[in-house]
PDB file of all heavy atoms in Angstrom:
ATOM      1  N   HIS A 679      -3.822   2.287 -92.457  1.00 95.00           N
ATOM      2  CA  HIS A 679      -4.006   2.501 -93.885  1.00 95.00           C
ATOM      3  C   HIS A 679      -5.475   2.714 -94.270  1.00 95.00           C
ATOM      4  O   HIS A 679      -5.788   2.830 -95.452  1.00 95.00           O
ATOM      5  CB  HIS A 679      -3.419   1.329 -94.671  1.00 95.00           C
ATOM      6  CG  HIS A 679      -1.938   1.169 -94.476  1.00 95.00           C
ATOM      7  ND1 HIS A 679      -1.004   1.781 -95.275  1.00 95.00           N
ATOM      8  CD2 HIS A 679      -1.235   0.487 -93.536  1.00 95.00           C
ATOM      9  CE1 HIS A 679       0.217   1.474 -94.856  1.00 95.00           C
ATOM     10  NE2 HIS A 679       0.095   0.688 -93.802  1.00 95.00           N
ATOM     11  N   GLY A 680      -6.332   2.723 -93.280  1.00 95.00           N
ATOM     12  CA  GLY A 680      -7.739   3.031 -93.529  1.00 95.00           C
ATOM     13  C   GLY A 680      -8.461   2.024 -94.396  1.00 95.00           C
ATOM     14  O   GLY A 680      -9.402   2.387 -95.113  1.00 95.00           O
ATOM     15  N   GLU A 681      -8.037   0.783 -94.350  1.00 96.00           N
ATOM     16  CA  GLU A 681      -8.684  -0.226 -95.190  1.00 96.00           C
ATOM     17  C   GLU A 681     -10.101  -0.509 -94.694  1.00 96.00           C
ATOM     18  O   GLU A 681     -10.326  -0.720 -93.500  1.00 96.00           O
ATOM     19  CB  GLU A 681      -7.850  -1.503 -95.222  1.00 96.00           C
ATOM     20  CG  GLU A 681      -6.505  -1.301 -95.920  1.00 96.00           C
ATOM     21  CD  GLU A 681      -5.742  -2.589 -96.129  1.00 96.00           C
ATOM     22  OE1 GLU A 681      -6.115  -3.615 -95.522  1.00 96.00           O
ATOM     23  OE2 GLU A 681      -4.762  -2.574 -96.888  1.00 96.00           O
ATOM     24  N   THR A 682     -11.041  -0.536 -95.620  1.00 96.00           N
ATOM     25  CA  THR A 682     -12.448  -0.739 -95.281  1.00 96.00           C
ATOM     26  C   THR A 682     -12.844  -2.198 -95.479  1.00 96.00           C
ATOM     27  O   THR A 682     -12.170  -2.962 -96.181  1.00 96.00           O
ATOM     28  CB  THR A 682     -13.346   0.135 -96.164  1.00 96.00           C
ATOM     29  OG1 THR A 682     -13.226  -0.312 -97.531  1.00 96.00           O
ATOM     30  CG2 THR A 682     -12.944   1.598 -96.068  1.00 96.00           C
ATOM     31  N   ASP A 683     -13.955  -2.569 -94.900  1.00 96.00           N
ATOM     32  CA  ASP A 683     -14.464  -3.930 -95.073  1.00 96.00           C
ATOM     33  C   ASP A 683     -14.730  -4.231 -96.547  1.00 96.00           C
ATOM     34  O   ASP A 683     -14.471  -5.347 -97.016  1.00 96.00           O
ATOM     35  CB  ASP A 683     -15.755  -4.114 -94.265  1.00 96.00           C
ATOM     36  CG  ASP A 683     -15.496  -4.203 -92.775  1.00 96.00           C
ATOM     37  OD1 ASP A 683     -14.429  -4.703 -92.385  1.00 96.00           O
ATOM     38  OD2 ASP A 683     -16.372  -3.781 -91.995  1.00 96.00           O
ATOM     39  N   GLU A 684     -15.239  -3.262 -97.273  1.00 97.00           N
ATOM     40  CA  GLU A 684     -15.538  -3.461 -98.687  1.00 97.00           C
ATOM     41  C   GLU A 684     -14.254  -3.714 -99.480  1.00 97.00           C
ATOM     42  O   GLU A 684     -14.209  -4.580-100.365  1.00 97.00           O
ATOM     43  CB  GLU A 684     -16.275  -2.242 -99.253  1.00 97.00           C
ATOM     44  CG  GLU A 684     -17.666  -2.027 -98.681  1.00 97.00           C
ATOM     45  CD  GLU A 684     -17.652  -1.448 -97.265  1.00 97.00           C
ATOM     46  OE1 GLU A 684     -16.615  -0.886 -96.842  1.00 97.00           O
ATOM     47  OE2 GLU A 684     -18.693  -1.575 -96.577  1.00 97.00           O
ATOM     48  N   GLN A 685     -13.208  -2.966 -99.181  1.00 98.00           N
ATOM     49  CA  GLN A 685     -11.927  -3.161 -99.853  1.00 98.00           C
ATOM     50  C   GLN A 685     -11.338  -4.529 -99.507  1.00 98.00           C
ATOM     51  O   GLN A 685     -10.791  -5.222-100.374  1.00 98.00           O
ATOM     52  CB  GLN A 685     -10.951  -2.056 -99.435  1.00 98.00           C
ATOM     53  CG  GLN A 685      -9.579  -2.147-100.097  1.00 98.00           C
ATOM     54  CD  GLN A 685      -8.634  -1.060 -99.614  1.00 98.00           C
ATOM     55  OE1 GLN A 685      -8.886  -0.400 -98.607  1.00 98.00           O
ATOM     56  NE2 GLN A 685      -7.543  -0.848-100.337  1.00 98.00           N
ATOM     57  N   LEU A 686     -11.479  -4.929 -98.259  1.00 98.00           N
ATOM     58  CA  LEU A 686     -10.932  -6.212 -97.835  1.00 98.00           C
ATOM     59  C   LEU A 686     -11.657  -7.371 -98.497  1.00 98.00           C
ATOM     60  O   LEU A 686     -11.053  -8.403 -98.806  1.00 98.00           O
ATOM     61  CB  LEU A 686     -10.989  -6.324 -96.305  1.00 98.00           C
ATOM     62  CG  LEU A 686     -10.119  -5.292 -95.572  1.00 98.00           C
ATOM     63  CD1 LEU A 686     -10.316  -5.390 -94.071  1.00 98.00           C
ATOM     64  CD2 LEU A 686      -8.656  -5.457 -95.934  1.00 98.00           C
ATOM     65  N   ALA A 687     -12.952  -7.224 -98.729  1.00 98.00           N
ATOM     66  CA  ALA A 687     -13.689  -8.265 -99.453  1.00 98.00           C
ATOM     67  C   ALA A 687     -13.136  -8.430-100.857  1.00 98.00           C
ATOM     68  O   ALA A 687     -13.018  -9.558-101.370  1.00 98.00           O
ATOM     69  CB  ALA A 687     -15.175  -7.911 -99.510  1.00 98.00           C
ATOM     70  N   ARG A 688     -12.753  -7.325-101.492  1.00 98.00           N
ATOM     71  CA  ARG A 688     -12.159  -7.412-102.823  1.00 98.00           C
ATOM     72  C   ARG A 688     -10.782  -8.074-102.758  1.00 98.00           C
ATOM     73  O   ARG A 688     -10.373  -8.794-103.684  1.00 98.00           O
ATOM     74  CB  ARG A 688     -12.077  -6.019-103.462  1.00 98.00           C
ATOM     75  CG  ARG A 688     -13.457  -5.413-103.751  1.00 98.00           C
ATOM     76  CD  ARG A 688     -13.355  -4.177-104.621  1.00 98.00           C
ATOM     77  NE  ARG A 688     -12.708  -3.050-103.970  1.00 98.00           N
ATOM     78  CZ  ARG A 688     -13.338  -2.128-103.232  1.00 98.00           C
ATOM     79  NH1 ARG A 688     -14.653  -2.213-103.045  1.00 98.00           N
ATOM     80  NH2 ARG A 688     -12.676  -1.127-102.691  1.00 98.00           N
ATOM     81  N   LYS A 689     -10.066  -7.842-101.679  1.00 98.00           N
ATOM     82  CA  LYS A 689      -8.753  -8.483-101.518  1.00 98.00           C
ATOM     83  C   LYS A 689      -8.906  -9.990-101.298  1.00 98.00           C
ATOM     84  O   LYS A 689      -8.102 -10.784-101.808  1.00 98.00           O
ATOM     85  CB  LYS A 689      -7.986  -7.848-100.352  1.00 98.00           C
ATOM     86  CG  LYS A 689      -7.520  -6.433-100.630  1.00 98.00           C
ATOM     87  CD  LYS A 689      -6.581  -5.933 -99.535  1.00 98.00           C
ATOM     88  CE  LYS A 689      -6.011  -4.568 -99.885  1.00 98.00           C
ATOM     89  NZ  LYS A 689      -4.903  -4.174 -98.996  1.00 98.00           N
ATOM     90  N   VAL A 690      -9.907 -10.383-100.533  1.00 98.00           N
ATOM     91  CA  VAL A 690     -10.170 -11.815-100.343  1.00 98.00           C
ATOM     92  C   VAL A 690     -10.441 -12.469-101.690  1.00 98.00           C
ATOM     93  O   VAL A 690      -9.900 -13.539-102.010  1.00 98.00           O
ATOM     94  CB  VAL A 690     -11.355 -12.031 -99.377  1.00 98.00           C
ATOM     95  CG1 VAL A 690     -11.786 -13.498 -99.381  1.00 98.00           C
ATOM     96  CG2 VAL A 690     -10.976 -11.605 -97.959  1.00 98.00           C
ATOM     97  N   ALA A 691     -11.274 -11.829-102.505  1.00 98.00           N
ATOM     98  CA  ALA A 691     -11.597 -12.362-103.830  1.00 98.00           C
ATOM     99  C   ALA A 691     -10.352 -12.440-104.704  1.00 98.00           C
ATOM    100  O   ALA A 691     -10.152 -13.422-105.439  1.00 98.00           O
ATOM    101  CB  ALA A 691     -12.663 -11.501-104.490  1.00 98.00           C
ATOM    102  N   ALA A 692      -9.493 -11.427-104.625  1.00 98.00           N
ATOM    103  CA  ALA A 692      -8.269 -11.411-105.426  1.00 98.00           C
ATOM    104  C   ALA A 692      -7.336 -12.546-105.004  1.00 98.00           C
ATOM    105  O   ALA A 692      -6.713 -13.202-105.854  1.00 98.00           O
ATOM    106  CB  ALA A 692      -7.559 -10.065-105.281  1.00 98.00           C
ATOM    107  N   ALA A 693      -7.231 -12.790-103.705  1.00 98.00           N
ATOM    108  CA  ALA A 693      -6.375 -13.874-103.213  1.00 98.00           C
ATOM    109  C   ALA A 693      -6.880 -15.222-103.716  1.00 98.00           C
ATOM    110  O   ALA A 693      -6.113 -16.040-104.243  1.00 98.00           O
ATOM    111  CB  ALA A 693      -6.328 -13.853-101.691  1.00 98.00           C
ATOM    112  N   LEU A 694      -8.162 -15.459-103.574  1.00 98.00           N
ATOM    113  CA  LEU A 694      -8.733 -16.736-103.994  1.00 98.00           C
ATOM    114  C   LEU A 694      -8.578 -16.949-105.500  1.00 98.00           C
ATOM    115  O   LEU A 694      -8.323 -18.065-105.966  1.00 98.00           O
ATOM    116  CB  LEU A 694     -10.207 -16.803-103.600  1.00 98.00           C
ATOM    117  CG  LEU A 694     -10.490 -16.881-102.087  1.00 98.00           C
ATOM    118  CD1 LEU A 694     -11.982 -16.722-101.814  1.00 98.00           C
ATOM    119  CD2 LEU A 694      -9.969 -18.193-101.504  1.00 98.00           C
ATOM    120  N   LYS A 695      -8.701 -15.886-106.260  1.00 98.00           N
ATOM    121  CA  LYS A 695      -8.565 -15.983-107.723  1.00 98.00           C
ATOM    122  C   LYS A 695      -7.212 -16.544-108.116  1.00 98.00           C
ATOM    123  O   LYS A 695      -7.079 -17.267-109.115  1.00 98.00           O
ATOM    124  CB  LYS A 695      -8.778 -14.602-108.349  1.00 98.00           C
ATOM    125  CG  LYS A 695      -8.606 -14.590-109.865  1.00 98.00           C
ATOM    126  CD  LYS A 695      -8.853 -13.207-110.435  1.00 98.00           C
ATOM    127  CE  LYS A 695      -8.660 -13.203-111.952  1.00 98.00           C
ATOM    128  NZ  LYS A 695      -8.911 -11.857-112.532  1.00 98.00           N
ATOM    129  N   HIS A 696      -6.187 -16.233-107.316  1.00 98.00           N
ATOM    130  CA  HIS A 696      -4.829 -16.646-107.655  1.00 98.00           C
ATOM    131  C   HIS A 696      -4.353 -17.837-106.828  1.00 98.00           C
ATOM    132  O   HIS A 696      -3.144 -18.106-106.755  1.00 98.00           O
ATOM    133  CB  HIS A 696      -3.880 -15.458-107.504  1.00 98.00           C
ATOM    134  CG  HIS A 696      -4.107 -14.398-108.538  1.00 98.00           C
ATOM    135  ND1 HIS A 696      -3.714 -14.549-109.857  1.00 98.00           N
ATOM    136  CD2 HIS A 696      -4.738 -13.194-108.470  1.00 98.00           C
ATOM    137  CE1 HIS A 696      -4.067 -13.480-110.540  1.00 98.00           C
ATOM    138  NE2 HIS A 696      -4.694 -12.651-109.733  1.00 98.00           N
ATOM    139  N   GLY A 697      -5.292 -18.561-106.238  1.00 98.00           N
ATOM    140  CA  GLY A 697      -4.929 -19.778-105.539  1.00 98.00           C
ATOM    141  C   GLY A 697      -4.270 -19.581-104.194  1.00 98.00           C
ATOM    142  O   GLY A 697      -3.668 -20.512-103.651  1.00 98.00           O
ATOM    143  N   LEU A 698      -4.372 -18.380-103.652  1.00 98.00           N
ATOM    144  CA  LEU A 698      -3.828 -18.090-102.328  1.00 98.00           C
ATOM    145  C   LEU A 698      -4.898 -18.343-101.270  1.00 98.00           C
ATOM    146  O   LEU A 698      -6.089 -18.164-101.529  1.00 98.00           O
ATOM    147  CB  LEU A 698      -3.372 -16.636-102.245  1.00 98.00           C
ATOM    148  CG  LEU A 698      -2.295 -16.200-103.243  1.00 98.00           C
ATOM    149  CD1 LEU A 698      -2.223 -14.681-103.293  1.00 98.00           C
ATOM    150  CD2 LEU A 698      -0.942 -16.789-102.872  1.00 98.00           C
ATOM    151  N   VAL A 699      -4.471 -18.740-100.090  1.00 98.00           N
ATOM    152  CA  VAL A 699      -5.400 -18.903 -98.978  1.00 98.00           C
ATOM    153  C   VAL A 699      -5.406 -17.607 -98.170  1.00 98.00           C
ATOM    154  O   VAL A 699      -4.405 -17.267 -97.539  1.00 98.00           O
ATOM    155  CB  VAL A 699      -5.002 -20.079 -98.076  1.00 98.00           C
ATOM    156  CG1 VAL A 699      -5.956 -20.190 -96.884  1.00 98.00           C
ATOM    157  CG2 VAL A 699      -4.975 -21.381 -98.865  1.00 98.00           C
ATOM    158  N   PRO A 700      -6.508 -16.856 -98.201  1.00 98.00           N
ATOM    159  CA  PRO A 700      -6.553 -15.624 -97.419  1.00 98.00           C
ATOM    160  C   PRO A 700      -6.678 -15.912 -95.930  1.00 98.00           C
ATOM    161  O   PRO A 700      -7.464 -16.769 -95.521  1.00 98.00           O
ATOM    162  CB  PRO A 700      -7.811 -14.915 -97.937  1.00 98.00           C
ATOM    163  CG  PRO A 700      -8.665 -16.004 -98.491  1.00 98.00           C
ATOM    164  CD  PRO A 700      -7.741 -17.084 -98.976  1.00 98.00           C
ATOM    165  N   VAL A 701      -5.879 -15.234 -95.156  1.00 98.00           N
ATOM    166  CA  VAL A 701      -5.997 -15.279 -93.698  1.00 98.00           C
ATOM    167  C   VAL A 701      -6.670 -13.968 -93.304  1.00 98.00           C
ATOM    168  O   VAL A 701      -6.025 -12.926 -93.177  1.00 98.00           O
ATOM    169  CB  VAL A 701      -4.622 -15.420 -93.010  1.00 98.00           C
ATOM    170  CG1 VAL A 701      -4.778 -15.466 -91.491  1.00 98.00           C
ATOM    171  CG2 VAL A 701      -3.909 -16.674 -93.514  1.00 98.00           C
ATOM    172  N   LEU A 702      -7.983 -14.020 -93.171  1.00 98.00           N
ATOM    173  CA  LEU A 702      -8.776 -12.815 -92.922  1.00 98.00           C
ATOM    174  C   LEU A 702      -8.762 -12.500 -91.437  1.00 98.00           C
ATOM    175  O   LEU A 702      -9.238 -13.288 -90.612  1.00 98.00           O
ATOM    176  CB  LEU A 702     -10.208 -13.018 -93.409  1.00 98.00           C
ATOM    177  CG  LEU A 702     -11.174 -11.854 -93.200  1.00 98.00           C
ATOM    178  CD1 LEU A 702     -10.678 -10.585 -93.884  1.00 98.00           C
ATOM    179  CD2 LEU A 702     -12.567 -12.221 -93.701  1.00 98.00           C
ATOM    180  N   CYS A 703      -8.196 -11.345 -91.100  1.00 98.00           N
ATOM    181  CA  CYS A 703      -8.055 -10.943 -89.700  1.00 98.00           C
ATOM    182  C   CYS A 703      -9.256 -10.110 -89.257  1.00 98.00           C
ATOM    183  O   CYS A 703      -9.663  -9.177 -89.961  1.00 98.00           O
ATOM    184  CB  CYS A 703      -6.778 -10.134 -89.507  1.00 98.00           C
ATOM    185  SG  CYS A 703      -5.268 -10.993 -90.004  1.00 98.00           S
ATOM    186  N   VAL A 704      -9.790 -10.440 -88.102  1.00 97.00           N
ATOM    187  CA  VAL A 704     -10.914  -9.704 -87.526  1.00 97.00           C
ATOM    188  C   VAL A 704     -10.635  -9.485 -86.049  1.00 97.00           C
ATOM    189  O   VAL A 704      -9.915 -10.253 -85.422  1.00 97.00           O
ATOM    190  CB  VAL A 704     -12.250 -10.460 -87.709  1.00 97.00           C
ATOM    191  CG1 VAL A 704     -12.561 -10.662 -89.187  1.00 97.00           C
ATOM    192  CG2 VAL A 704     -12.219 -11.815 -87.003  1.00 97.00           C
ATOM    193  N   GLY A 705     -11.200  -8.422 -85.501  1.00 94.00           N
ATOM    194  CA  GLY A 705     -10.980  -8.179 -84.076  1.00 94.00           C
ATOM    195  C   GLY A 705     -11.497  -6.825 -83.649  1.00 94.00           C
ATOM    196  O   GLY A 705     -11.721  -5.933 -84.476  1.00 94.00           O
ATOM    197  N   GLU A 706     -11.681  -6.684 -82.348  1.00 91.00           N
ATOM    198  CA  GLU A 706     -12.280  -5.477 -81.807  1.00 91.00           C
ATOM    199  C   GLU A 706     -11.322  -4.740 -80.871  1.00 91.00           C
ATOM    200  O   GLU A 706     -10.423  -5.340 -80.286  1.00 91.00           O
ATOM    201  CB  GLU A 706     -13.572  -5.811 -81.048  1.00 91.00           C
ATOM    202  CG  GLU A 706     -13.378  -6.395 -79.661  1.00 91.00           C
ATOM    203  CD  GLU A 706     -12.917  -7.843 -79.672  1.00 91.00           C
ATOM    204  OE1 GLU A 706     -12.718  -8.406 -80.760  1.00 91.00           O
ATOM    205  OE2 GLU A 706     -12.731  -8.416 -78.588  1.00 91.00           O
ATOM    206  N   THR A 707     -11.513  -3.434 -80.778  1.00 86.00           N
ATOM    207  CA  THR A 707     -10.759  -2.625 -79.819  1.00 86.00           C
ATOM    208  C   THR A 707     -11.422  -2.714 -78.447  1.00 86.00           C
ATOM    209  O   THR A 707     -12.526  -3.260 -78.307  1.00 86.00           O
ATOM    210  CB  THR A 707     -10.722  -1.151 -80.254  1.00 86.00           C
ATOM    211  OG1 THR A 707     -12.073  -0.628 -80.202  1.00 86.00           O
ATOM    212  CG2 THR A 707     -10.167  -1.003 -81.669  1.00 86.00           C
ATOM    213  N   ALA A 708     -10.750  -2.168 -77.448  1.00 85.00           N
ATOM    214  CA  ALA A 708     -11.331  -2.138 -76.105  1.00 85.00           C
ATOM    215  C   ALA A 708     -12.635  -1.349 -76.104  1.00 85.00           C
ATOM    216  O   ALA A 708     -13.612  -1.718 -75.433  1.00 85.00           O
ATOM    217  CB  ALA A 708     -10.337  -1.543 -75.118  1.00 85.00           C
ATOM    218  N   ASP A 709     -12.674  -0.244 -76.865  1.00 86.00           N
ATOM    219  CA  ASP A 709     -13.902   0.555 -76.948  1.00 86.00           C
ATOM    220  C   ASP A 709     -15.019  -0.235 -77.619  1.00 86.00           C
ATOM    221  O   ASP A 709     -16.187  -0.171 -77.203  1.00 86.00           O
ATOM    222  CB  ASP A 709     -13.642   1.853 -77.715  1.00 86.00           C
ATOM    223  CG  ASP A 709     -12.783   2.839 -76.932  1.00 86.00           C
ATOM    224  OD1 ASP A 709     -12.681   2.673 -75.694  1.00 86.00           O
ATOM    225  OD2 ASP A 709     -12.214   3.753 -77.560  1.00 86.00           O
ATOM    226  N   ASP A 710     -14.668  -0.980 -78.680  1.00 85.00           N
ATOM    227  CA  ASP A 710     -15.661  -1.821 -79.356  1.00 85.00           C
ATOM    228  C   ASP A 710     -16.233  -2.847 -78.390  1.00 85.00           C
ATOM    229  O   ASP A 710     -17.448  -3.095 -78.364  1.00 85.00           O
ATOM    230  CB  ASP A 710     -15.022  -2.575 -80.532  1.00 85.00           C
ATOM    231  CG  ASP A 710     -14.660  -1.672 -81.694  1.00 85.00           C
ATOM    232  OD1 ASP A 710     -15.303  -0.619 -81.846  1.00 85.00           O
ATOM    233  OD2 ASP A 710     -13.732  -2.032 -82.443  1.00 85.00           O
ATOM    234  N   LEU A 711     -15.348  -3.448 -77.626  1.00 84.00           N
ATOM    235  CA  LEU A 711     -15.760  -4.501 -76.688  1.00 84.00           C
ATOM    236  C   LEU A 711     -16.734  -3.936 -75.657  1.00 84.00           C
ATOM    237  O   LEU A 711     -17.758  -4.552 -75.337  1.00 84.00           O
ATOM    238  CB  LEU A 711     -14.530  -5.085 -75.998  1.00 84.00           C
ATOM    239  CG  LEU A 711     -14.755  -6.272 -75.073  1.00 84.00           C
ATOM    240  CD1 LEU A 711     -15.293  -7.471 -75.842  1.00 84.00           C
ATOM    241  CD2 LEU A 711     -13.447  -6.647 -74.368  1.00 84.00           C
TER     242      LEU A 711
END
């Protein structure tokens, strides 16, 4: 879905605003590694 880090930061803020606990996923591909 092409979600960017900047968009995900806004989603984290939106979750916290509504009392949800964000489970922020991070990880690298084999090429990244």
